[in-house]
């Protein structure tokens, strides 16, 4: 294995009504999703989400949480109803936000999760494609915002790709990595914990304010770090764990595990997103192959991982040394260097000069960014969100003599990830060529409507695009047709993420003019 | 370990070697010298001034989210 791996990124976006902090976020989120769905579905009935195979309480450590003891927010397999404020005018459209749950022609899921619009990207195979369909999500949220603004009677909203309001609330950006079920989960915890604690140095989005509710003024590397309280666990909304144990593969259960990573930040910089996914994929490949044991990254157990996660985030100077269980002390960049060294040796051993371009790119950029962080932090401002953000903040501080508790700096922090190009500060930097971009606007626009061609997302997205009126429901691992001449709904399972690709079903779909033809062909 | 530098248009290669100062715990201050001139940042800030929410305090206070995952 290389950096090629089935991956997806889920992003809960921040949503706000200027001047009305009390607006009901579930209804606002439903409005956002529905506005997009109505504009793109062309008025046809929307396929619903198929909850058949969801199992949010199954724990990777080998047990299942009793449903009665679970927190309601953990029951993601059952649609939840909104609890509108008494003052909300409830229309048929927004009465049930769970109806705002759509599957897009690019294979993504776009829905209301808790109190946020969430975009779950389609399954992709490379870090570059992870960036591409993540950026497509930003474009989709922007289009939704524009649709809401243009619709009489709807409340205009602003939308942010961030992870905290600075007042105690946090919402996630989750990465999902398909991995081998045969890899012992204890090894996953042992090797990934130091990796996640230290990768913040290039995955952090930057945050003004220290502590969950920003009780102390200052700047830290990560939006999310302060919200993590335990090392391993099943929760995602409280007592958040560095390693999440949700065991819901949405794929062949005995073959795959879906590693659900909740510790990351929402990143705007494309290089940061590439590295976030690419380096994690490489570490997983080494982990599955047993390569890490005994190597430079073989024994990096931290004495207090949660504390170390916070300390690393609170140290933008990158000089802090975290304590290892064996008594050593290492900086976050040194920990990353150990993983990088192992990865170089691994790739050289397995592929030599035949290494694929995606893997070579991740290795090269990983080394470059660590080198920049070691020599001059600000030289990483073209690639890393927190550095680019800090550069702006320090500019304001020195020009206007601002202290860290000044509201202007918090405004810069928030506006960094505003999805509107005329307002978002990251977009402003991108327009000026001051952050590196990997994708053209045309490539992003194409990914808004089209699925990746090399995973099952191709089959899902193309079925929606070609036979949408006949798709009753869909999910990660199913497409369900309601076709003429058959009494029952026809469920096509898609449990193998590497089937249903263009190579696999492209010709079949081209032959089938209608959903009836397709179902007939599939059922023989 | 020097990285394999790729040619980057628009990247300057005259970076200084200043190491960031140790910030006070949580103070979040680095005194790193970046490779760019102050004029670059100033031009950028001027542009951001144009789009930054005019009433920062109200904007920040009004951004309240319900928790999520």
């Amino acid at each position: 294995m290389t950096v090629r791996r089935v991956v997806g990124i889920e992003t809960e976006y921040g949503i706000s009504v200027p001047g009305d902090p009390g607006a009901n976020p579930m209804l606002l989120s439903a409005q956002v999703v529905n506005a997009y769905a109505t504009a793109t579905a062309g008025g046809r009935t929307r396929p619903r989400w198929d909850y058949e195979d969801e199992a949010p309480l199954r724990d990777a450590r080998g047990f299942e949480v009793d449903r009665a003891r679970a927190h309601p927010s953990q029951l993601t397999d059952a649609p939840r109803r909104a609890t509108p404020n008494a003052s909300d005018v409830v229309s048929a459209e927004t009465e049930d936000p769970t109806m705002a749950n759509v599957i897009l022609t690019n294979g993504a899921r776009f829905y209301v999760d808790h109190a946020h619009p969430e975009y779950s990207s389609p399954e992709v195979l490379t870090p570059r494609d992870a960036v591409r369909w993540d950026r497509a999500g930003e474009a989709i949220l922007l289009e939704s915002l524009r649709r809401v603004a243009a619709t009489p009677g709807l409340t205009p909203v602003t939308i942010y790709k961030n992870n905290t309001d600075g007042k105690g609330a946090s919402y996630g950006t989750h990465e999902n990595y398909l991995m081998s079920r045969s890899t012992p989960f204890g090894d996953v915890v042992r090797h990934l914990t130091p990796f996640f604690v230290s990768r913040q140095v290039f995955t952090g989005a930057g945050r003004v304010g220290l502590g969950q509710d920003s009780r102390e003024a200052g700047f830290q590397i990560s939006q999310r770090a302060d919200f993590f309280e335990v090392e391993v666990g099943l929760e995602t909304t409280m007592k958040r764990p560095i390693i999440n144990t949700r065991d819901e593969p949405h794929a062949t259960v005995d073959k795959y595990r879906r590693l659900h990573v909740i510790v990351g930040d929402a990143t705007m910089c494309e290089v940061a997103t590439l590295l976030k996914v690419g380096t994690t994929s490489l570490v997983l490949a080494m982990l599955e192959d047993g390569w890490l044991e005994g190597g430079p990254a073989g024994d990096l157990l931290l004495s207090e991982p949660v504390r170390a996660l916070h300390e690393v985030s609170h140290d933008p100077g990158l000089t802090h040394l975290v304590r290892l269980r064996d008594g050593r002390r290492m900086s976050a960049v040194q920990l990353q260097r150990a993983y990088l060294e192992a990865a170089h040796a691994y790739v050289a051993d397995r592929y030599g000069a035949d290494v694929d371009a995606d893997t070579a790119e991740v290795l090269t950029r990983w080394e470059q960014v660590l080198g920049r962080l070691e020599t001059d932090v600000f030289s990483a401002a073209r690639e890393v969100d927190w550095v680019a953000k800090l550069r702006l903040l320090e500019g304001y501080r020195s020009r206007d003599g601002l202290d860290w508790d000044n509201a202007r700096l918090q405004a810069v922090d928030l506006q960094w990830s505003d999805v509107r190009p005329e307002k978002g500060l990251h977009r402003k930097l991108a327009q000026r060529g001051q952050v590196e971009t990997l994708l053209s606007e045309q490539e992003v626009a194409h990914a808004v409507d089209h699925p990746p061609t090399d995973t099952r997302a191709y089959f899902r997205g193309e079925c929606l695009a070609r036979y949408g009126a006949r798709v009753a429901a869909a999910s990660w691992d199913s497409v369900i047709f309601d076709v003429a001449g058959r009494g029952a709904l026809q469920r096509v399972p898609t449990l193998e993420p590497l089937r249903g690709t263009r190579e696999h079903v492209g010709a079949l779909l081209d032959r089938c003019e209608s959903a009836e033809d397709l179902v007939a062909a599939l059922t023989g | 370990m020097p990285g394999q530098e790729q040619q980057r248009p628009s990247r300057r290669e005259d970076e200084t070697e200043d190491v960031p100062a140790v910030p006070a715990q949580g103070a979040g201050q680095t005194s790193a010298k970046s490779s760019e001139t102050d004029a670059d940042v100033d031009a950028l800030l001027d542009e951001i001034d144009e789009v930054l929410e005019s009433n920062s305090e109200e904007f920040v206070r009004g951004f309240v989210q319900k928790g999520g995952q």
Side-chain angles (χ1 to χ4, degrees):
Chain A
M1 283 291 275
T2 55
V3 292
R4 290 175 69 80
R5 174 176 300 269
V6 177
V7 175
I9 303 176
E10 318 165 21
T11 308
E12 293 173 48
Y13 282 80
I15 183 167
S16 184
V17 177
D20 185 10
N24 184 308
M26 287 186 90
L27 297 181
L28 293 176
S29 301
Q31 185 185 272
V32 164
V33 173
N34 282 324
Y36 187 82
T38 305
T40 53
R44 60 177 160 74
T45 328
R46 284 190 236 139
R48 58 179 178 81
W49 186 256
D50 171 26
Y51 287 92
E52 174 90 9
D53 285 334
E54 309 246 329
L57 300 180
R58 195 176 303 140
D59 195 295
R61 290 163 296 184
F63 53 86
E64 183 131 6
V65 172
D66 178 4
R67 213 174 167 84
R69 296 180 54 194
H71 188 270
S73 67
Q74 289 179 274
L75 305 179
T76 52
D77 55 343
R80 278 189 314 281
R81 297 191 63 84
T83 46
N85 301 335
S87 60
D88 287 321
V89 179
V90 177
S91 70
E93 173 95 320
T94 58
E95 189 167 8
D96 185 1
T98 60
M99 295 300 289
N101 191 340
V102 292
I103 308 110
L104 307 178
T105 55
N106 72 354
R109 180 189 186 191
F110 188 31
Y111 68 116
V112 179
D113 188 26
H114 300 272
H116 305 273
E118 173 166 327
Y119 169 84
S120 293
S121 83
E123 306 89 328
V124 298
L125 262 191
T126 66
R128 265 189 182 259
D129 277 352
V131 177
R132 185 189 307 236
W133 272 275
D134 182 59
R135 289 274 286 109
E138 293 172 25
I140 285 164
L141 269 294
L142 173 62
E143 178 62 22
S144 306
L145 179 153
R146 302 275 196 236
R147 294 276 170 188
V148 168
T151 308
L154 293 185
T155 314
V157 294
T158 51
I159 295 174
Y160 303 85
K161 193 189 182 197
N162 64 2
N163 302 107
T164 180
D165 63 356
K167 300 170 184 69
S170 183
Y171 32 101
T173 302
H174 299 168
E175 303 141 67
N176 296 287
Y177 300 87
L178 209 66
M179 61 180 298
S180 153
R181 165 102 20 209
S182 60
T183 304
F185 199 72
D187 292 353
V188 173
V189 174
R190 194 158 50 90
H191 290 301
L192 283 182
T193 302
F195 177 71
F196 286 156
V197 164
S198 53
R199 75 172 190 170
Q200 302 176 76
V201 297
F202 53 80
T203 63
R207 178 180 168 194
V208 174
L210 307 174
Q212 292 188 3
D213 56 1
S214 310
R215 64 186 45 195
E216 199 183 331
F219 177 86
Q220 62 173 311
I221 287 175
S222 164
Q223 291 258 312
R224 283 283 268 180
D226 284 350
F227 293 93
F228 284 76
E229 297 168 350
V230 298
E231 292 174 36
V232 184
L234 186 60
E235 289 90 352
T236 52
T237 57
M238 54 203 161
K239 290 198 306 234
R240 291 185 182 90
I242 295 172
I243 304 286
N244 181 269
T245 57
R246 177 178 293 190
D247 190 8
E248 202 181 18
H250 298 311
T252 311
V253 172
D254 53 0
K255 189 171 166 189
Y256 295 118
R257 177 192 303 291
R258 174 176 63 117
L259 185 74
H260 189 54
V261 177
I262 69 170
V263 75
D265 286 8
T267 39
M268 301 294 293
C269 288
E270 293 176 16
V271 176
T273 307
L274 180 93
L275 283 172
K276 178 166 66 179
V277 172
T279 60
T280 306
S281 293
L282 265 177
V283 171
L284 287 174
M286 295 190 285
L287 184 58
E288 287 171 333
D289 262 2
W291 181 267
L292 290 168
E293 309 304 333
D299 188 18
L300 299 175
L301 284 175
L302 303 174
S303 34
E304 295 178 89
V306 176
R307 185 173 164 185
L309 183 80
H310 300 168
E311 288 171 344
V312 168
S313 182
H314 292 202
D315 174 44
L318 303 180
T319 54
H320 178 74
L321 303 176
V322 297
R323 192 187 303 273
L324 275 60
R325 275 199 215 168
D326 61 11
R328 281 181 296 167
R329 296 177 70 95
M330 293 170 76
S331 73
V333 175
Q334 286 168 338
L335 285 166
Q336 281 296 310
R337 282 252 179 235
Y339 287 99
L340 172 64
E341 192 185 331
H344 268 306
Y346 174 72
V347 171
D349 179 80
R350 291 294 195 283
Y351 306 101
D354 291 334
V355 62
D356 62 282
D358 286 303
T359 303
E361 177 181 44
V362 169
L363 279 174
T364 302
R365 288 185 177 278
W366 192 1
E367 186 157 324
Q368 277 173 348
V369 84
L370 293 180
R372 292 195 218 287
L373 292 169
E374 277 168 337
T375 52
D376 168 9
V377 169
F378 282 114
S379 67
R382 294 179 54 77
E383 293 122 330
V384 178
D385 284 70
W386 74 265
V387 178
K389 194 185 269 184
L390 182 59
R391 176 173 157 256
L392 293 185
L393 293 164
E394 290 290 12
Y396 267 106
R397 277 162 46 77
S398 67
R399 190 191 71 177
D400 301 339
L402 307 179
D403 286 329
W404 278 113
D405 59 359
N406 189 288
R408 185 105 62 88
L409 301 182
Q410 293 166 291
V412 169
D413 185 5
L414 284 177
Q415 224 174 302
W416 173 257
S417 68
D418 189 319
V419 298
R420 294 171 296 175
E422 69 275 16
K423 280 287 193 179
L425 303 187
H426 172 271
R427 302 307 312 154
K428 283 277 168 212
L429 291 185
Q431 289 155 19
R432 292 174 63 106
Q434 298 200 340
V435 289
E436 189 179 353
T437 51
L438 302 171
L439 298 163
S440 68
E441 290 305 318
Q442 292 79 0
E443 286 174 303
V444 174
H446 189 263
V448 165
D449 296 317
H450 297 85
T453 58
D454 50 10
T455 68
R456 66 184 172 191
Y458 178 79
F459 179 75
R460 182 187 316 122
E462 288 295 323
C463 283
L464 264 292
R466 298 172 192 233
Y467 323 112
R470 291 278 175 266
V471 178
S475 71
W476 303 118
D477 47 25
S478 70
V479 179
I480 300 177
F481 293 94
D482 183 359
V483 293
R486 297 198 182 230
L489 295 177
Q490 303 292 306
R491 188 172 196 269
V492 180
T494 55
L495 281 166
E496 177 47 71
L498 295 172
R499 291 172 63 85
T501 61
R502 184 168 63 192
E503 191 180 358
H504 178 215
V505 298
L508 170 73
L509 295 177
D510 287 342
R511 276 202 311 276
C512 296
E513 293 232 337
S514 68
E516 284 74 11
D517 295 347
L518 178 66
V519 169
L522 289 171
T523 54
Chain B
M1 272 195 331
Q4 307 152 351
E5 230 7 272
Q6 291 179 328
Q7 281 309 101
R8 292 270 171 74
S10 82
R11 257 204 72 74
R12 316 249 317 254
E13 299 301 339
D14 54 345
E15 294 162 8
T16 61
E17 287 287 311
D18 289 13
V19 175
V22 183
Q25 177 61 29
Q29 297 167 348
T30 67
S31 59
K33 291 283 181 294
S34 81
S35 55
E36 63 195 341
T37 64
D38 291 343
D40 285 342
V41 180
D42 285 345
L44 181 61
L45 296 185
D46 289 342
E47 186 177 336
I48 290 175
D49 287 336
E50 302 285 311
V51 300
L52 200 60
E53 296 293 342
S54 50
N55 186 337
S56 294
E57 286 191 16
E58 191 186 338
F59 168 52
V60 169
R61 205 172 33 242
F63 185 76
V64 180
Q65 299 294 295
K66 286 272 194 318
Q69 301 207 57

